[in-house]
Amino acid sequence: MPKTSRAAFDRRPLASAEELAAYLGVPLQTVYAWRHRRQGPVAIKVGRHLRYRWVEVEAWLDGQSADQAA
């Protein structure tokens, strides 16, 4: 049986910037500002569009809660 990466099992659709903003409850401009300042979750450019992997969004959120506790 061939080895497969974790990414092969996580085939959820990528989130758009609008979906991410709605999920986090922040304005869309905040998502764009995070991208510009390299502060938010890692974004992927697909053509002209920004997309986000949910697993990376969740990891970023986990990191945010750890920062708040410290």
Side-chain angles (χ1 to χ4, degrees), residues 17-18 27-37 50 52:
E18 293 84 359
L28 180 57
Q29 283 307 118
T30 299
V31 172
Y32 290 134
W34 286 341
R35 164 87 172 148
H36 179 73
R37 294 184 204 130
L50 292 179
Y52 297 85

Side-chain angles (χ1 to χ4, degrees), residues 42-63:
V42 175
I44 303 163
K45 287 278 284 199
V46 179
R48 298 178 1 198
H49 308 282
L50 292 179
R51 295 293 182 256
Y52 297 85
R53 288 187 179 105
W54 286 110
V55 70
E56 291 183 10
V57 170
E58 292 163 6
W60 178 78
L61 284 171
D62 290 342

